[in-house]
């Protein structure tokens, strides 16, 4: 299932230097990986300039250093959260969507974005206007398909309905955060500022009733909390459901002789509906276990045991 694993490149070109980023991209592709996820705003908060674009620029440099490789890859990038000099973020107005698509293409050095995400909701702009701008990009061949990240489900459906009514390409991917354990409902999680960035039961129900929509998950390993004692789960995860799930996870990991985080990635890939995990790594030592996890085979009994821990 290596093709279903997504390499997150958020810090490529900033925290992760050029040589390391190139090595990670090389190894991911060598192992059979094909999908890269970035954004026009990555990573403005550590860039020193207050603006993003470093990740896209580095991927573009890597592609130029590897001619002929681009056609084997799926390139996904995002628009909507890049900061403005006067404060606030760019949003999802039609002109912004069109302009930033062009800038992303230039930084990546390509003529097509395979999957273009509306990164975060913009209540200042009617979703219909954003949907039409994205659909136009698909119509011109600039974008292959459309995704929506960190939006409430009702806005996703409103966008998809509008696209269908106008004969445009509807969104066919959602990007949210989820993992094997979840925080208590209604509890704030430190560092997570997207109100509608979480997979919920409603999300799963929506996916089960709408074939053809992929679910991509960012932060699937909760910043290393499954394996690292120095990174405990945030307080919001402290509840009986987490206790039961961690017990089942620990048993399965021990039986398979792998780390708990590897079982989490494998479970996401084997569950129904499937979740495509985005793995954000900063070293080959972190990447290798993720690649191995994508090849880990969980039988139906094991998946069921993880789904419904005693």
């Amino acid at each position: 299932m290596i093709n279903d694993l997504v390499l997150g490149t958020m810090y490529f070109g900033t925290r992760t230097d050029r040589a390391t980023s190139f090595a990670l991209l090389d190894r991911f592709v060598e192992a059979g990986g094909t999908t890269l996820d970035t954004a026009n705003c990555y990573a403005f908060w550590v860039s020193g300039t207050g603006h993003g674009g470093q990740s896209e620029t580095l991927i573009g440099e890597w592609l130029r250093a590897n001619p002929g490789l681009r056609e084997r890859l799926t390139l996904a990038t995002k628009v909507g959260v890049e900061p403005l000099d006067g404060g606030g973020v760019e949003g999802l107005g039609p002109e912004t969507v069109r302009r930033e698509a062009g800038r992303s293409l230039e930084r990546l050095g390509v003529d097509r974005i395979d999957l273009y995400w509306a990164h975060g909701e913009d209540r200042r702009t009617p979703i219909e206007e954003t949907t039409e701008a994205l659909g136009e990009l698909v119509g011109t061949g600039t974008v292959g398909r459309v995704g929506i990240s960190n939006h409430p489900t009702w806005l996703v459906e409103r966008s998809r309905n509008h696209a269908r009514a106008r004969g445009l390409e509807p969104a066919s991917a959602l990007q949210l955060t989820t993992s094997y354990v979840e925080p208590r409902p209604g509890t704030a999680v430190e560092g997570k500022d997207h109100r509608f960035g979480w997979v919920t039961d409603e999300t799963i129900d929506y996916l089960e009733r709408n074939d053809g929509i992929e679910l991509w998950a960012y932060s699937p390993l909760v910043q290393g909390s499954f394996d690292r004692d120095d990174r405990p789960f945030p307080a919001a995860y402290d509840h009986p459901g987490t206790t039961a799930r961690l017990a089942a996870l620990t048993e399965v990991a021990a039986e398979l002789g792998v780390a708990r985080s590897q079982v989490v990635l494998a479970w996401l890939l084997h569950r129904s509906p499937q979740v495509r995990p985005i793995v954000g790594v900063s070293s080959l030592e972190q990447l290798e276990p993720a690649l191995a996890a994508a090849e880990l085979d969980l039988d139906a009994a094991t998946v069921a045991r993880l789904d419904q821990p005693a």
Side-chain angles (χ1 to χ4, degrees):
M1 290 187 176
I2 189 69
N3 283 338
D4 293 318
L5 196 68
V6 180
L7 182 63
T9 65
M10 178 182 290
Y11 290 115
F12 287 14
T14 49
R15 284 182 180 172
T16 306
D17 64 32
R18 187 177 189 272
T20 304
S21 299
F22 272 42
L24 290 167
L25 290 162
D26 288 344
R27 176 62 185 128
F28 182 69
V29 172
E30 177 187 54
T34 59
T35 306
L36 309 179
D37 186 68
T38 186
N40 69 332
C41 68
Y42 291 164
F44 70 84
W45 55 99
V46 294
S47 69
T49 67
H51 291 287
Q54 297 80 18
S55 173
E56 290 181 331
T57 298
L58 185 137
I59 292 171
E61 293 173 355
W62 175 74
L63 288 171
R64 286 191 291 276
N66 292 274
L69 191 56
R70 192 275 177 264
E71 296 308 315
R72 293 168 46 191
L73 301 174
T74 296
L75 299 179
T77 193
K78 311 179 189 73
V79 59
V81 184
E82 170 69 3
L84 299 174
D85 287 331
V89 297
E90 63 190 351
L92 294 170
E95 288 305 314
T96 298
V97 169
R98 299 186 191 101
R99 181 191 69 236
E100 292 304 314
R103 290 177 176 175
S104 289
L105 289 170
E106 183 176 355
R107 285 189 289 263
L108 290 165
V110 299
D111 57 10
R112 173 185 169 96
I113 297 167
D114 298 310
L115 176 55
Y116 200 35
W117 298 96
H119 198 168
E121 63 169 329
D122 174 12
R123 295 289 174 98
R124 301 167 301 174
T125 302
I127 193 67
E128 292 81 4
E129 293 183 11
T130 302
T131 300
E132 292 188 16
L134 291 167
E136 289 170 9
L137 290 172
V138 174
T140 62
T142 303
V143 167
R145 61 192 184 103
V146 173
I148 298 180
S149 177
N150 299 319
H151 281 61
T153 308
W154 69 267
L155 263 181
V156 173
E157 181 61 13
R158 187 161 148 184
S159 170
R160 283 168 49 80
N161 274 336
H162 185 74
R164 288 188 290 260
R166 293 299 181 93
L168 302 172
E169 181 76 16
S172 59
L174 303 182
Q175 187 172 147
L176 303 161
T177 187
T178 193
S179 185
Y180 180 62
V181 295
E182 299 287 355
R184 293 188 306 277
T187 305
V189 179
E190 184 178 357
K192 299 295 184 182
D193 55 359
H194 291 298
R195 180 183 177 191
F196 298 107
W198 298 90
V199 172
T200 65
D201 285 346
E202 182 184 30
T203 311
I204 299 303
D205 184 65
Y206 184 73
L207 293 168
E208 289 175 340
R209 284 156 178 77
N210 290 273
D211 291 338
I213 304 179
E214 291 183 345
L215 175 58
W216 294 25
Y218 61 87
S219 301
L221 300 180
V222 196
Q223 289 71 52
S225 297
F226 289 102
D227 296 333
R228 294 180 56 170
D229 292 337
D230 63 328
R231 292 192 178 181
F233 287 97
Y237 287 80
D238 186 11
H239 57 86
T242 295
T243 303
R245 287 199 155 225
L246 289 180
L249 181 66
T250 300
E251 289 179 0
V252 170
E255 291 168 6
L256 296 176
V258 298
R260 295 197 302 186
S261 60
Q262 290 178 287
V263 177
V264 171
L265 294 176
W267 174 77
L268 290 169
L269 290 167
H270 284 80
R271 65 168 292 180
S272 181
Q274 186 198 52
V275 180
R276 297 189 66 182
I278 303 170
V279 292
V281 296
S282 58
S283 68
L284 291 172
E285 290 74 21
Q286 293 174 343
L287 178 60
E288 290 298 339
L291 295 174
E295 301 298 331
L296 189 62
D297 185 30
L298 299 183
D299 59 32
T302 301
V303 173
R305 183 173 156 199
L306 291 166
D307 286 344
Q308 299 293 332

